Amino acid sequence: MTAATPRGFRDILPREALARERITGVVRECFSAHGYLPVETPLLEDRRVIERGARVKDSAFQLFDSDGSLLMLRPDLTLPVARLVAGRVSAGELPARFRYAAPVVREEPSLRGQPRQFTQLGVELVGEDGAASEVEVVRLLAEALGALEVPDWRIVFGSVTPLTSLLDACAPTPDFREEVLALVHDSDLVTLDELISSTEGLGPAAARALREVCRMGGGAEVIGRLDALLAEAGVDPASRGTAELSALAGSLADLFEQGRLSFDFSIINSFDYYTGIIFKGYAEGIAASLASGGRYDAVLANLGRPGLVACGFALSLERLQEVLGEPGESGVVTPGVRVAARPIRIAVPKGSLFKETVAALAAAGLPTAELADPGRKLVVREGDVEYVIVRAQDAPAFVGHGGADCGICGKDSLIEADLDLLQLVDLGYGGCRFVVAEPRSRAGEAERNYAWRGTVRVATKYPRITQGYYDSIGQQVDIVTLHGNIELGPIVGMADRIVDITATGTTLAENDLVVVDEVMECTARFFAGPAAYRCDKRIRDLARRLAEVAERGSAS
C-alpha cells in the first residue's frame, strides 16, 4: 500500500516550498511596509466562540476535547483574528493592523478537485474610519497583486447595503426577505426571478429593482443607475449605500481608470458576515478568485466589540502559485491562458437539449453554422466563439473548473453539481418534471414501511434533488444511487419509490409505476463561472441577449 496522504492533503517538496516562500515573502514585505504586524491564531478554535461572530457551515473537521468542548479546525483566518481583537486588543491599541500567513482547512462540495488544506495570506484592519479602511485595504490588495506581477489582475466590488436596504423597504414578509438573500447567496438569479414574479404585494418598481440590482456591473457610472433604481423603489437615500460607493469610487479613481477596478453586484453574499463592501481579486486564466475580502463590522459587534470598523482580505497562496506559473495545484487555474486573447468558450449540451441550444445561440447572434452539424468534433471554433460539446450533466463541471466560461444545461444538472456558478437565464426549453413514483401494485407500502422503519428507501440518479425534496417534506430518506434503469429499484425490491425525470410519463406507465408527488419542474438554464462573468463583458452581453431570446420565445 502506498504511503499516501489523506484526500485533499498533500506534501510540499523543496522546489515548490521555495516557490511558496518567494511568493509569501513578496506579500509579507508589501504588508509590512504599510505597518501590518504578524499574528498567529490556534489551528483549533472553540466552535461556540467562532459561531458568536458569524454563522459557520458544518465542518467535517471537528472534535471534542477532554473537557467536552466542541473544537473545529479553522476554516478561515478572519474569524479567529476578529476573536483575537475582541478579546485581546484594547481601545488604546487601535487602530490594529494585522497580517497572517497560515493554513486553513475546509470541507464542502464546492471544493471538489481542490485541496482541503490551503494557505491564506491576508490582512485585517480594525478601528479606523470606515471609508478610509476600505480604501487602504483595497489599495493594499492592488499593490500586492502588482508586486507579484499577477497577469491582468482585476478587483471586483459589490456591497450588501443596496440589496438589504431594498428588502427593508419592500419585502412583503420576513420569509420573502430570507428567500431572496438565500438565492442571491447561492447565485441563483433564475429562481430569484421566479420568486419575484410569484410574490404578491411587490410593486413594479420594487420588483424591477430586485431583479436588476444583482445583475448590475461596470465602472463608477453604474452607481448612478443603481441609485435611480433604489429611488424608484422608494428606498430612503440615507440607507441606499450609494453615497458611500461613490466616495469609494472617487478615492480609487486611478484604479478604475486603469481598468483594474469594477463594480459587479452579483458578488454580494454572506449577509450575516459582511456589512458593507465585498470585493474579490481575479486574474487572467483563473476560474475562481485569487483574493476575497470586505467589511465585516457585525462580526466584532457579535463578539462583544460594537462600534468598531473591520475590513480585510485573504489571498490564496495555492492559486497564486498556479497563476504565476509556479508548481502547485489548486484545481481552478489554467496557467498561461489569456482571457482577452482567446475566444469565449461555451459548454454546449449534447443530446436532447442540443438542437434548441444551437437555435438559442444563433438567435442571440452567435455563429452556429458548424456547431449545428459538428460530426465527431468535441470542440468547434467559429469566429471568436469556441463551443465545447459535453454531456449536460458535465457542463457545470467544465465551467466550474475553468474548461469553459459559460454553458447551458438543465436546472437539475446545476443542482447535482453544486458548484460556485452564476445561474443567469431560464431559456424556457427542455421542459420536464421530476416526480416521485412507485409501483401501482404496491400502493401504500412505502407509507407502511416508513411507519415502522422511520425512513423511505428511494432509488434515483439525482441524490441532491432527492435529498432536498425529502428534507422539504420532513421525511428521513435512504437514497440508493443508480446510474440507469431507475424504474427497476422498486420493481425488484431495492427501494420503495423512485425520484426520476419524466417528460411524457410513458416509461413510468410501461413499467406499471404511478406518480405520487411532484418534486420540481426543470428547464434549460444559461450559467457562467463567476470570474468569467465578472471580468469578461462578452459573457454579460450574451446573458442579456439570451434573456431577450427567451422572452420572445415565451411571448410567442
Side-chain angles (χ1 to χ4, degrees):
M1 179 178 176
T2 305
T5 60
R7 176 180 62 84
F9 298 87
R10 64 192 183 89
D11 300 314
I12 297 174
L13 300 180
R15 177 170 172 252
E16 181 184 353
L18 287 170
R20 289 164 65 91
E21 274 190 352
R22 183 188 69 80
I23 295 170
T24 302
V26 172
V27 174
R28 180 179 62 247
E29 290 304 312
C30 181
F31 294 169
S32 296
H34 291 272
Y36 285 79
L37 300 174
V39 291
E40 297 181 24
T41 63
L43 182 61
L44 288 167
E45 293 278 352
D46 188 317
R47 176 163 183 145
R48 292 173 304 172
V49 174
I50 294 298
E51 282 186 324
R52 283 171 48 202
R55 182 173 51 194
V56 177
K57 289 185 176 180
D58 287 336
S59 171
F61 305 105
Q62 300 182 98
L63 67 154
F64 287 98
D65 66 9
S66 59
D67 298 326
S69 298
L70 178 59
L71 307 180
M72 64 183 297
L73 291 173
R74 61 189 178 208
D76 72 2
L77 269 298
T78 298
L79 287 173
V81 173
R83 174 196 51 72
L84 179 153
V85 171
R88 301 287 302 276
V89 178
S90 68
E93 296 173 289
L94 297 175
R97 289 177 171 85
F98 294 138
R99 60 177 168 86
Y100 51 81
V104 298
V105 180
R106 292 182 189 171
E107 173 75 297
E108 52 185 299
S110 63
L111 291 177
R112 271 178 284 180
Q114 302 174 46
R116 298 156 105 183
Q117 175 180 314
F118 52 96
T119 297
Q120 289 185 334
L121 315 175
V123 298
E124 310 298 340
L125 172 54
V126 179
E128 278 283 270
D129 170 73
S133 295
E134 293 171 346
V135 171
E136 177 178 328
V137 168
V138 171
R139 285 200 177 276
L140 186 55
L141 174 57
E143 184 177 326
L145 295 172
L148 288 165
E149 298 183 354
V150 170
D152 197 25
W153 60 266
R154 178 182 298 183
I155 300 172
V156 181
F157 283 98
S159 172
V160 303
T161 305
L163 180 62
T164 54
S165 62
L166 176 60
L167 288 169
D168 289 341
C170 73
T173 66
D175 286 346
F176 175 82
R177 176 190 174 89
E178 293 307 310
E179 286 184 74
V180 169
L181 295 180
L183 290 170
V184 173
H185 180 81
D186 291 340
S187 298
D188 187 353
L189 304 188
V190 176
T191 305
L192 174 63
D193 290 343
E194 294 170 355
L195 173 65
I196 293 166
S197 297
S198 63
T199 299
E200 297 181 358
L202 280 177
R208 178 173 171 242
L210 285 169
R211 286 191 181 94
E212 294 188 17
V213 163
C214 297
R215 290 180 164 90
M216 299 187 74
E221 75 284 348
V222 76
I223 301 172
R225 300 202 306 271
L226 175 61
D227 196 58
L229 264 182
L230 297 176
E232 290 174 10
V235 180
D236 187 283
S239 64
R240 294 174 197 163
T242 49
E244 292 82 357
L245 292 175
S246 293
L248 180 68
S251 298
L252 299 169
D254 55 321
L255 293 175
F256 275 99
E257 290 167 3
Q258 295 166 21
R260 296 297 192 180
L261 268 60
S262 63
F263 283 106
D264 191 310
F265 290 90
S266 71
I267 209 170
I268 52 182
N269 57 13
S270 299
F271 298 95
D272 61 339
Y273 192 106
Y274 292 111
T275 50
I277 67 162
I278 301 173
F279 54 89
K280 292 182 181 291
Y282 294 103
E284 66 173 37
I286 188 169
S289 61
L290 285 174
S292 181
R295 177 95 168 260
Y296 57 94
D297 305 2
V299 172
L300 283 169
N302 293 340
L303 290 170
R305 292 293 295 273
L308 294 181
V309 169
C311 194
F313 66 83
L315 286 151
S316 165
L317 177 55
E318 286 73 18
R319 293 177 187 175
L320 285 172
Q321 285 178 248
E322 289 201 24
V323 82
L324 294 173
E326 301 285 7
E329 183 176 357
S330 71
V332 295
V333 179
T334 306
V337 177
R338 294 190 61 85
V339 173
R342 68 167 175 80
I344 179 176
R345 186 176 290 163
I346 305 173
V348 174
K350 62 173 75 172
S352 61
L353 295 177
F354 181 77
K355 184 176 180 180
E356 288 176 291
T357 294
V358 173
L361 293 171
L366 298 187
T368 58
E370 293 186 41
L371 176 64
D373 188 15
R376 293 184 177 273
K377 291 182 180 178
L378 297 177
V379 179
V380 176
R381 173 77 178 266
E382 296 197 53
D384 64 348
V385 182
E386 196 168 72
Y387 301 107
V388 182
I389 303 172
V390 301
R391 295 176 62 198
Q393 298 94 321
D394 294 334
F398 273 84
V399 176
H401 293 289
D405 301 307
C406 55
I408 292 172
C409 68
K411 175 183 176 181
D412 56 303
S413 297
L414 290 163
I415 293 174
E416 290 299 324
D418 192 31
L419 293 169
D420 182 17
L421 300 166
L422 276 159
Q423 300 182 45
L424 299 165
V425 183
D426 183 351
L427 297 169
Y429 59 80
C432 58
R433 298 179 299 148
F434 276 80
V435 299
V436 183
E438 66 182 11
R440 187 187 307 273
S441 60
R442 288 162 56 188
E445 187 172 318
E447 284 85 357
R448 291 192 293 273
N449 288 341
Y450 185 81
W452 70 266
R453 191 195 300 140
T455 185
V456 57
R457 290 178 183 156
V458 177
T460 187
K461 58 180 176 181
Y462 306 98
R464 289 190 179 279
I465 291 171
T466 300
Q467 187 68 59
Y469 165 77
Y470 278 96
D471 286 346
S472 72
I473 64 172
Q475 282 191 357
Q476 186 75 22
V477 61
D478 290 330
I479 297 174
V480 180
T481 302
L482 302 176
H483 299 286
N485 299 325
I486 308 301
E487 298 83 5
L488 278 173
I491 291 173
V492 300
M494 291 171 56
D496 302 315
R497 288 173 169 167
I498 67 170
V499 169
D500 204 6
I501 195 170
T502 182
T504 64
T506 302
T507 303
L508 295 177
E510 288 176 349
N511 288 280
D512 197 36
L513 295 170
V514 293
V515 174
V516 296
D517 203 1
E518 303 277 343
V519 176
M520 71 176 193
E521 293 185 351
C522 179
T523 51
R525 293 185 171 188
F526 174 69
F527 64 97
Y533 180 76
R534 291 164 184 157
C535 298
D536 192 335
K537 185 175 180 295
R538 297 174 298 175
I539 309 294
R540 191 185 298 276
D541 290 343
L542 178 57
R544 175 182 51 79
R545 296 199 304 272
L546 284 170
E548 292 170 353
V549 170
E551 188 174 352
R552 290 198 299 270
S554 64
S556 62

